[in-house]
């Protein structure tokens, strides 16, 4: 293996060879070995020999888990025995822009941010635990972004040494793991038939590595076939032998021939020629049988040195195994040969990621000569991105903001076209503006510095061309969380916003012990909101500063980070608070008994009539994922509008949708405002006022000022004053508020609470404790899963977030410390209890939330809002 620690000139040279670049994210369930595998590649590249190199923050090092996505650029040369080189490659040197992502579900937003910048995913699965809840979550995220996966089945040493499994049992578990991954790929990737086989993982194709990250040992079927042919009397082509080393191919020792007869199961190629020698070697090392170790190593082309003989067990395994089957080499060959270069990936990913400005042919302004010219220029920028053209306009997507030394904040992103340079002037389009009326506002900034992420540090450079990841300084005052950078004046919207797999459903209030520190807290909160993808910072109606995260662990990490960003001041935090949503379950009734609700303006000259109705959960889910949003509503015909027909909308209604809102928070983009009036006058004049009131009421519902979810409001009739002065915002907005809040109260309102999927691993003795603890916390749909060859059993089910605080500790106590628990946000669920009925659980929740927010604990009545004729 040829590798070296490169300098700026080396990396700059490779950055310009777009066919020799691989951008990839390492993804996995927590503790499946991502960071250990990353360390193997970092060591092989000569960057560092430190363990958990990409865990750059003190919090990560103290907790022993990855919390943030961390990038590192690695230079390698593909060894001769791994040739031929991929098509279109320019020499044997390759640049891997690798991002190590967190495995804990609370930090899934970091995974989303990493995946947006890369083209491939190195999926790591523990052979003992198999595909787990977070494996499915992160793989689904990757596939939705058009990211191609390859697989590493890790911790084979545990199956051999700890569980002492027979080679055939290990093979069956490996096969099941690969099959499970392929089921997920097939389920979440919309395949064209011609590409389906190319995306599936298959050991015979070479896109599966088997190994042990801890030992630094690993192989593909092809690399092991080369090893056998080189060092044993297998007089045949390694490619031919490789086809016999996976699947139902059995070797008859007597006739020395291959057969497909399953009666020769003890002679399965993978077990006989790969697993058995490895198992015998590991067992011999574990027993200290050095003579046998030396014999087994010699058969596979390795030697036992004098220094090796001084080592014992695990240390000896770490010394000899990588010499025989180096994991880093297997990973490099798989990544280079089976993950796409930027030049290849951007051809199909740009259509998924970029938000081209759609044209409404009915709008004269959008068909003007000037606008047509702008559209042509934007199409040229899109084409440059598809070609990964460094000579095109600069097009960059920044997916996260990263705090650096001296109070600086680096923008971490991907150059899709053009070449970004130090001192260059670019236009910033913030992703937080997409879908609102301020999308056209832009801000020009100058790039102060251009750098490359190197794990725990940054390497300065003058420029970075298309196809590479980049860190930029100078954007902290213009960009919040994520957004698009461009040098093209034709780009008005930019890249699509990221869809996060988790929601910030757990929050707490923060304050300072010393009032003079308040200014530092406000500064820290602003930086936290800017640099944490999955966090939400807001001020409540009562003036409290609230910080929201995906779970207890995430919230704790956010508070610790806030202390650092605030200059180390002493911060007081409240107990965790759950974010709820509000919804309706029936059509509104109004005061007259029909479905129409009436709202009069303060001056009495305007009347608005509307109905409220619930939406199907399938539609709500579709909207929440951005299938149809406010931007689509302003465009002409599009796929999102056509899809609404499948959910019961008629064609005319889809063209009169005013807004999908609110645009932020837990209920984001899950409610619709529709103009269903016929022949009514002045509707365009009041549209802006109606949508403003709608956004306000959807963000802060009538029950307890939580976000509204899954509601449709139809404006069915209006009676408006002919003079525009008497139907302005100060008249229409209050009337709309009355209709919405009063209408909700007549539509059987309900509280919607967030639910976690819970996965608990324990042994048989701990099962009763798991079931009883989950039952006490309203756990539902509990299922038991057993994995062959493992003493551990897995219980999966769902628990309300409200009941999850302290659950991990409770399960550890009830199982005498034998439970390993994972919680991940899964869905929103409507509470059956009526919050308007005194004494119900929903009523108590509403009262507690209202009390916390400083509101009157009693919910307002319908008569407080709706008017009568």
């Amino acid at each position: 293996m040829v590798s070296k620690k490169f300098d700026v000139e080396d990396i700059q040279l490779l950055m310009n060879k777009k066919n020799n670049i691989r951008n990839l994210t390492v993804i996995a369930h927590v503790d499946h070995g991502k960071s250990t595998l990353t360390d193997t590649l970092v060591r092989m590249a000569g960057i560092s020999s430190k363990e958990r190199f990409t865990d750059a923050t003190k919090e990560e090092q103290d907790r022993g888990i990855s919390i943030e996505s961390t990038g590192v650029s690695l230079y390698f040369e593909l060894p001769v025995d791994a040739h031929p080189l991929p098509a279109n490659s320019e020499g044997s040197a390759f640049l891997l822009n690798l991002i190590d992502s967190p495995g804990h579900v609370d930090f899934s937003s970091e995974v989303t941010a990493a995946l947006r910048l890369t083209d491939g995913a190195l999926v790591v699965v523990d052979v003992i635990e198999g595909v787990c809840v977070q494996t499915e979550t992160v793989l689904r995220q990757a596939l939705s972004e058009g990211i191609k996966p390859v697989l590493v089945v890790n911790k084979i040493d545990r199956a051999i040494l700890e569980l002492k499994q027979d080679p055939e049992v290990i093979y069956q578990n490996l096969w099941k793991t690969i099959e499970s991954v392929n089921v997920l790929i097939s389920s979440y990737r919309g395949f064209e038939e011609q590409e389906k086989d190319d995306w599936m993982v298959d050991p015979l194709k070479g896109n599966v590595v088997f190994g042990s990250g801890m030992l630094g040992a690993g192989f593909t079927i092809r690399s092991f076939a080369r090893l056998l042919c080189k060092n044993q009397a297998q007089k045949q082509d390694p490619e031919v032998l490789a086809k016999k080393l996976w699947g139902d191919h059995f070797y008859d020792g007597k006739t020395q021939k291959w057969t497909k007869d399953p009666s020769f199961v003890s002679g399965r190629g993978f077990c006989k020629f790969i697993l058995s020698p490895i198992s015998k070697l590991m067992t011999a090392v574990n027993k200290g049988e050095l003579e046998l170790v030396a014999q087994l190593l010699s058969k596979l082309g390795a030697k036992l040195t004098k220094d090796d003989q001084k080592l014992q067990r695990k240390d000896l395994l770490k010394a000899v195994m990588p010499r025989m089957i180096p994991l880093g080499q297997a990973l490099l060959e798989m990544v280079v040969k089976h993950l796409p270069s930027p030049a290849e990936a951007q051809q199909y990913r740009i259509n998924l990621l970029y938000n081209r400005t759609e044209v409404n042919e009915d709008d004269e302004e959008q068909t003007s000569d000037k606008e047509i010219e702008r559209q042509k220029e934007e199409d040229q920028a899109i084409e440059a991105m598809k070609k990964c053209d460094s000579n095109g306009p600069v097009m960059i997507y920044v997916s996260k903001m990263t705090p650096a030394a001296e109070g600086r904040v680096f923008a971490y992103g991907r150059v899709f076209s053009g070449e970004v340079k130090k001192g260059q002037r670019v236009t910033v389009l913030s992703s937080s503006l997409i879908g609102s009326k301020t999308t056209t506002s832009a801000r020009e900034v100058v790039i102060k510095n251009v750098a490359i992420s190197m794990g725990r540090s940054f390497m300065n450079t003058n420029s970075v061309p298309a196809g590479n990841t980049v860190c930029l300084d100078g954007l902290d005052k213009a960009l919040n969380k994520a957004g698009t950078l461009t040098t093209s004046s034709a780009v008005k919207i930019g890249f699509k916003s990221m869809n996060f797999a988790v929601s910030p459903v757990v929050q707490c209030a923060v304050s300072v012990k010393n009032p003079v520190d308040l200014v530092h807290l406000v500064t820290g909160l602003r930086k936290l909101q800017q640099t944490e993808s999955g966090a939400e910072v807001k001020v409540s109606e009562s003036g409290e500063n609230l910080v929201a995260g995906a779970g207890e662990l995430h919230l704790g990490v956010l508070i610790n980070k806030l202390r650092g960003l605030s200059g180390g001041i002493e911060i007081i935090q409240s107990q965790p608070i759950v974010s709820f949503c509000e919804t309706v379950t029936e059509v509104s009734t109004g005061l007259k008994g029909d479905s129409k609700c009436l709202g009069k303006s303060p001056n009495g000259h305007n009347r608005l009539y509307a109905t409220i109705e619930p939406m199907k959960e399938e539609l709500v889910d579709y909207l929440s994922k951005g299938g149809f949003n406010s931007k689509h509503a302003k465009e002409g015909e599009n796929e999102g509008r056509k899809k609404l027909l499948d959910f019961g909308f008629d064609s005319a209604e889809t063209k009169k949708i005013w807004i999908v809102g609110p645009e932020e928070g837990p209920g984001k983009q899950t409610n619709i405002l529709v103009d269903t009036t016929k022949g009514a006058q002045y509707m365009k004049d009041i549209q802006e006022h109606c949508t403003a009131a709608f956004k306000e009421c959807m963000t802060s519902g009538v029950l307890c000022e939580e976000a509204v979810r899954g509601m449709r409001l139809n404006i069915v009739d209006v009676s408006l004053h002919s003079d525009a002065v008497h139907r302005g915002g100060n008249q229409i907005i209050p009337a709309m508020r009355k209709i919405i809040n009063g209408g909700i109260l007549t539509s059987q309102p309900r509280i919607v609470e967030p639910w976690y999927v819970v996965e608990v691993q324990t042994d048989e003795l701990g099962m009763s404790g798991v079931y009883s603890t989950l039952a006490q916390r309203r756990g539902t749909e509990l299922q038991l899963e057993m994995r062959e060859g493992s003493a551990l059993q897995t219980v999966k089910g769902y628990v309300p977030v409200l009941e999850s605080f302290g659950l991990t500790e409770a399960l550890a106590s009830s199982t005498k410390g034998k439970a390993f628990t994972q919680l991940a946000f899964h869905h929103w669920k409507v509470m059956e209890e009526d919050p308007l009925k005194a004494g119900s659980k929903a009523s108590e929740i509403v009262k507690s939330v209202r009390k916390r927010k400083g509101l009157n604990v009693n919910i307002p009545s319908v008569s407080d809002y709706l008017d009568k004729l």
Side-chain angles (χ1 to χ4, degrees), residues 158-210:
R158 288 188 61 204
I160 294 171
L161 297 177
E162 290 182 27
L163 303 180
K164 303 188 186 308
Q165 291 179 343
D166 181 79
E168 180 63 23
V169 173
I170 297 175
Y171 171 83
Q172 293 298 334
N173 284 337
L174 292 172
W175 184 88
K176 290 174 184 176
T177 297
I178 294 168
E179 195 65 18
S180 297
V181 171
N182 278 330
V183 167
L184 294 176
I185 295 173
S186 182
S187 300
Y188 296 123
R189 168 76 180 167
F191 283 109
E192 297 289 339
E193 278 305 312
Q194 61 269 24
E195 69 176 13
K196 187 170 183 177
D197 290 341
D198 189 44
W199 282 64
M200 296 296 191
V201 293
D202 182 351
L204 293 177
K205 284 163 46 178
N207 58 2
V208 178
V209 164
F210 305 98

Side-chain angles (χ1 to χ4, degrees), residues 567-702:
I569 63 174
E570 191 169 353
I571 292 175
I572 302 171
Q573 69 178 99
S574 69
Q575 290 296 313
I577 304 163
V578 177
S579 296
F580 295 94
C581 282
E582 303 176 22
T583 193
V584 297
T585 58
E586 300 289 345
V587 177
S588 56
T589 57
L591 292 181
K592 291 179 65 178
D594 59 9
S595 61
K596 287 192 291 187
C597 301
L598 167 64
K600 294 179 183 178
S601 61
N603 63 12
H605 296 316
N606 305 282
R607 296 175 184 176
L608 305 179
Y609 299 86
T611 63
I612 286 175
E613 60 184 277
M615 295 192 297
K616 294 180 180 178
E617 185 57 36
E618 294 82 3
L619 173 56
V620 176
D621 185 57
Y622 177 69
L623 295 174
S624 68
K625 293 177 180 176
F628 184 85
N629 55 34
S630 297
K631 184 185 80 69
H632 296 139
K634 299 186 184 93
E635 297 170 354
E637 198 64 34
N638 53 52
E639 287 301 316
R641 199 183 297 278
K642 291 177 183 177
K643 185 70 175 177
L644 292 181
L645 300 178
D646 297 335
F647 291 109
F649 281 76
D650 64 42
S651 182
E653 287 177 342
T654 65
K655 296 175 182 177
K656 298 180 75 176
I657 294 174
W658 279 0
I659 187 174
V660 182
E663 287 162 354
E664 298 297 336
K668 183 178 179 181
Q669 294 183 356
T670 56
N671 308 283
I672 290 181
L673 171 59
V674 189
D675 169 19
T676 62
T677 61
K678 295 181 180 179
Q681 292 182 306
Y682 314 122
M683 293 305 290
K684 283 194 174 295
D685 294 347
I686 69 168
Q687 180 176 348
E688 182 178 347
H689 310 317
C690 290
T691 56
F694 184 79
K695 284 194 286 187
E696 177 189 328
C697 293
M698 295 302 97
T699 303
S700 180
V702 66

Side-chain angles (χ1 to χ4, degrees), residues 390-396 415-421 424 426 484-488 491:
S390 296
N391 296 316
V394 171
M395 293 293 294
I396 298 173
V415 186
F416 285 92
S417 71
E419 184 172 11
V420 62
K421 301 174 182 178
Q424 191 174 37
V426 296
T484 300
L485 311 182
T486 182
T487 55
S488 173
V491 176

Side-chain angles (χ1 to χ4, degrees), residues 11 13 37 82 155 238 441 454 539 715 723:
I11 194 169
L13 181 64
L37 288 178
K155 302 190 181 182
S441 66
M454 296 301 296
V539 179
I715 300 178
D723 189 342

Side-chain angles (χ1 to χ4, degrees), residues 11-305:
I11 194 169
Q12 194 73 55
L13 181 64
L14 269 180
M15 277 184 164
N16 287 292
K17 296 181 178 181
K18 58 187 178 185
N19 290 308
N20 286 44
I21 299 169
R22 300 294 183 270
N23 298 309
L24 67 149
T25 301
V26 188
I27 59 175
H29 189 75
V30 66
D31 289 335
H32 277 205
K34 290 179 294 52
S35 297
T36 308
L37 288 178
T38 303
D39 286 344
T40 300
L41 289 170
V42 169
R43 282 195 297 270
M44 192 170 76
I47 302 294
S48 173
S49 59
K50 291 181 179 178
E51 291 188 358
R52 304 190 71 90
F53 173 76
T54 50
D55 287 351
T57 67
K58 186 176 185 303
E59 181 105 17
E60 290 175 310
Q61 294 160 17
D62 291 345
R63 291 180 181 269
I65 61 171
S66 298
I67 292 173
E68 299 187 6
S69 292
T70 306
V72 59
S73 294
L74 307 171
Y75 171 101
F76 294 107
E77 290 189 14
L78 196 67
V80 175
D81 66 351
H83 288 196
L85 296 171
N88 300 321
S89 58
E90 306 168 59
S92 59
F94 289 86
L95 177 65
L96 269 59
N97 294 317
L98 179 149
I99 303 178
D100 181 27
S101 67
H104 196 285
V105 291
D106 275 15
F107 310 109
S108 291
S109 57
E110 286 288 320
V111 182
T112 304
L115 289 170
R116 174 56 66 93
L117 307 183
T118 54
D119 307 313
L122 192 67
V123 184
V124 185
V125 179
D126 184 332
V127 67
I128 306 300
E129 297 183 5
V131 173
C132 296
V133 58
Q134 183 67 352
T135 316
E136 180 175 351
T137 299
V138 294
L139 186 53
R140 182 177 66 246
Q141 287 178 272
L143 294 167
S144 69
E145 293 269 333
I147 292 169
K148 189 175 182 180
V150 291
L151 178 64
V152 180
V153 187
N154 196 24
K155 302 190 181 182
I156 287 184
D157 55 309
R158 288 188 61 204
I160 294 171
L161 297 177
E162 290 182 27
L163 303 180
K164 303 188 186 308
Q165 291 179 343
D166 181 79
E168 180 63 23
V169 173
I170 297 175
Y171 171 83
Q172 293 298 334
N173 284 337
L174 292 172
W175 184 88
K176 290 174 184 176
T177 297
I178 294 168
E179 195 65 18
S180 297
V181 171
N182 278 330
V183 167
L184 294 176
I185 295 173
S186 182
S187 300
Y188 296 123
R189 168 76 180 167
F191 283 109
E192 297 289 339
E193 278 305 312
Q194 61 269 24
E195 69 176 13
K196 187 170 183 177
D197 290 341
D198 189 44
W199 282 64
M200 296 296 191
V201 293
D202 182 351
L204 293 177
K205 284 163 46 178
N207 58 2
V208 178
V209 164
F210 305 98
S212 166
M214 186 192 70
L215 300 181
F219 60 90
T220 64
I221 294 295
R222 289 179 176 176
S223 70
F224 211 97
R226 291 197 297 267
L227 179 67
L228 291 173
C229 292
K230 181 180 179 181
N231 297 293
Q232 294 187 357
Q234 299 285 344
K235 305 297 182 181
Q236 57 179 307
D237 185 344
E239 290 294 315
V240 175
L241 177 60
K243 294 177 181 178
K244 305 291 186 182
L245 295 179
W246 185 260
D248 293 334
H249 297 280
F250 308 96
Y251 189 74
D252 185 350
K254 292 182 180 179
T255 63
Q256 296 189 347
K257 291 183 179 180
W258 291 93
T259 178
K260 286 207 166 190
D261 185 353
S263 63
F264 291 92
V265 68
S266 60
R268 185 187 296 276
F270 184 80
C271 298
K272 183 176 181 65
F273 294 105
I274 298 179
L275 276 184
S276 290
I278 291 175
S279 181
K280 288 177 182 177
L281 177 61
M282 287 186 174
T283 303
V285 168
N286 214 33
K287 291 181 178 178
E289 299 172 347
L290 295 184
E291 288 187 13
L292 180 57
V293 170
Q295 292 175 16
L296 294 169
L297 283 174
S298 64
K299 290 181 181 179
L300 293 169
K303 293 182 179 180
L304 189 68
T305 67

Side-chain angles (χ1 to χ4, degrees), residues 115-116 118-119 140-148 188-190 195 199 345-356 382 385-386 397 416 494-499 625-626 632:
L115 289 170
R116 174 56 66 93
T118 54
D119 307 313
R140 182 177 66 246
Q141 287 178 272
L143 294 167
S144 69
E145 293 269 333
I147 292 169
K148 189 175 182 180
Y188 296 123
R189 168 76 180 167
E195 69 176 13
W199 282 64
Q346 288 183 199
Q347 293 178 35
Y348 56 84
R349 288 195 72 210
I350 293 303
N351 289 337
L352 286 172
L353 305 182
Y354 187 74
N355 229 337
R356 183 183 183 278
I382 294 171
M385 287 191 287
K386 288 183 177 180
Y397 185 75
F416 285 92
F495 289 89
K496 295 177 182 177
S497 298
M498 295 176 287
N499 286 320
K625 293 177 180 176
H632 296 139

